[in-house]
Amino acid sequence: MDSPFGLLAELTYRCPLGCAYCSNPLNMADYSDELTTGEWRRVLGEAAELGILQCHLSGGEPLLRRDLVEIVADAHDLGLYTNLVTSALGLSRPRAEQLRTAGLDHVQISIQAGDPVASDRIAGTPSFHRKIEAMGLVKELGWPLTVNVVLHRYNIDRVADVLALAEEAGADRVELASTQYYGWAWRNRDALLPSRAQLEAAEAVVRAARERLRDRTEVIYVIPDYYSRFPKPCMGGWASRQLTVTPNGDVLPCPAAQSLPLPRASVREDSLERIWAEAPVMTAFRGTDWMPEPCRSCARRELDFGGCRCQAFQLTGDAARTDPVCQYSPDHDLVDRAVEAANAASRPAGPPLIPRPHRVRR
């Protein structure tokens, strides 16, 4: 077992946006007792001792934490590479300058679409122009900039606009990440899943952009799991490279694992090192010994590790099943039916979305 190299520090699930594709938990009230500054300082110290090199500060919206500058400074002093994953709402010039002084290394800004009307509609609040201003501020202050867009049925047709926006902003990296169907996104899956024709058109746009921008901007494009023959190696394998600490201190192998019926592990009750090595939530699906057939005898078992445990549980009710995305899964028909519905000629033009509730105060 190797030590993890990445920590996703979910500082809060509070967020000023109401994105219907949000994968954060539905039961946000369970995470309102957020770790204090001192508790995060201890977690970061234990992470550095464990061998972690990267610290991704996320949420919700991490800028809603008043102690964010202190947390960044602590991480920097420990030698961790810090990345702020943000909607950029709240990234004022004074706050940005404080974060720069504290040692923040990288900024990743999410945007919902490439034009203001669609972006604000998907976000549930006017935010597009503030995001563009924040991108300019990030580049002005000398940070590397990643622009992140979650793709789905309502914005994938305009992916060229997103790429043009990122190019104009001088982004060093663009992540075109298809919706992962957990949390609010699961409740909206039937409305959000794009069609095959949409995906094919988007891929052509992305290929051309990669060629045009190859010397300036890295373009990452991740297609929806549902359209793949084989599942992705989720997080590089269960509890093998990264871990997540939620706002209330729960420790997980990935951001969606809180949905699984596994014993809870918390930094308020144990050390990060012991949780990583011994907690059932970490050891349950580590390696390949847990695998059922067809994964157990599959030549791909150490390539995709049976796929996503959270997706298997979401679709089948059993986290130990082969990810139904896999074409060899006995449950693959569950994915086939969802894809068939997404491509049906009778599919409604615009089914209503259930927005994530706005929550900015404790």
Side-chain angles (χ1 to χ4, degrees), residues 60-114:
E61 175 46 68
L63 286 166
L64 289 173
R65 289 282 302 218
R66 296 179 180 177
D67 57 357
L68 178 61
V69 172
E70 296 171 66
I71 290 171
V72 168
D74 288 335
H76 175 75
D77 290 344
L78 289 163
L80 299 175
Y81 182 91
T82 50
N83 173 33
L84 179 66
V85 184
T86 178
S87 69
L89 273 66
L91 189 63
S92 63
R93 178 175 290 276
R95 195 86 182 279
E97 290 174 346
Q98 290 172 351
L99 289 167
R100 196 75 177 97
T101 301
L104 183 67
D105 294 297
H106 185 277
V107 180
Q108 177 174 319
I109 295 178
S110 67
I111 197 158
Q112 283 61 44

Side-chain angles (χ1 to χ4, degrees), residues 16 30 39-40 155 181 214 219 240 252 260-261 277 315 336 343:
D30 291 352
E39 288 173 321
W40 274 115
N155 64 5
Y181 294 104
R214 66 181 184 275
V219 179
S240 65
L252 304 168
L260 302 187
L315 290 170
D336 281 343
N343 289 274

Side-chain angles (χ1 to χ4, degrees), residues 57-262:
L57 302 162
S58 182
E61 175 46 68
L63 286 166
L64 289 173
R65 289 282 302 218
R66 296 179 180 177
D67 57 357
L68 178 61
V69 172
E70 296 171 66
I71 290 171
V72 168
D74 288 335
H76 175 75
D77 290 344
L78 289 163
L80 299 175
Y81 182 91
T82 50
N83 173 33
L84 179 66
V85 184
T86 178
S87 69
L89 273 66
L91 189 63
S92 63
R93 178 175 290 276
R95 195 86 182 279
E97 290 174 346
Q98 290 172 351
L99 289 167
R100 196 75 177 97
T101 301
L104 183 67
D105 294 297
H106 185 277
V107 180
Q108 177 174 319
I109 295 178
S110 67
I111 197 158
Q112 283 61 44
D115 69 273
V117 174
S119 185
D120 290 350
R121 182 175 65 248
I122 294 167
T125 190
S127 54
F128 178 87
H129 293 294
R130 294 160 70 184
K131 290 171 180 285
I132 301 303
E133 290 173 4
M135 290 178 195
L137 179 59
V138 165
K139 295 302 293 183
E140 178 187 334
L141 294 179
W143 275 307
L145 170 66
T146 292
V147 174
N148 172 262
V149 185
V150 177
L151 296 177
H152 46 78
R153 181 188 183 189
Y154 293 95
N155 64 5
I156 195 168
D157 295 332
R158 304 291 295 275
V159 71
D161 293 343
V162 171
L163 288 162
L165 179 154
E167 183 177 4
E168 185 175 352
D172 302 277
R173 191 166 183 265
V174 181
E175 289 186 5
L176 305 169
S178 294
T179 301
Q180 298 294 306
Y181 294 104
Y182 310 109
W184 295 98
W186 172 252
R187 297 185 68 177
N188 287 296
R189 185 193 68 174
D190 293 345
L192 291 170
L193 190 63
S195 69
R196 194 176 301 277
Q198 286 182 300
L199 288 175
E200 291 173 353
E203 283 192 75
V205 172
V206 172
R207 281 196 301 270
R210 279 178 171 161
E211 179 64 23
R212 188 179 73 254
L213 301 173
R214 66 181 184 275
D215 297 326
R216 289 175 285 160
T217 306
E218 181 183 12
V219 179
I220 308 297
Y221 176 57
V222 182
I223 68 170
D225 289 358
Y226 283 47
Y227 285 92
S228 300
R229 293 174 58 210
F230 300 108
K232 299 178 181 68
C234 187
M235 308 297 288
W238 185 271
S240 65
R241 299 181 182 181
Q242 302 188 55
L243 55 80
T244 296
V245 178
T246 68
N248 69 341
D250 287 350
V251 185
L252 304 168
C254 75
Q258 71 268 64
S259 63
L260 302 187
L262 292 170

Side-chain angles (χ1 to χ4, degrees), residues 23 41 71 98 116 224 353:
S23 60
R41 180 176 289 119
I71 290 171
Q98 290 172 351
L353 295 171

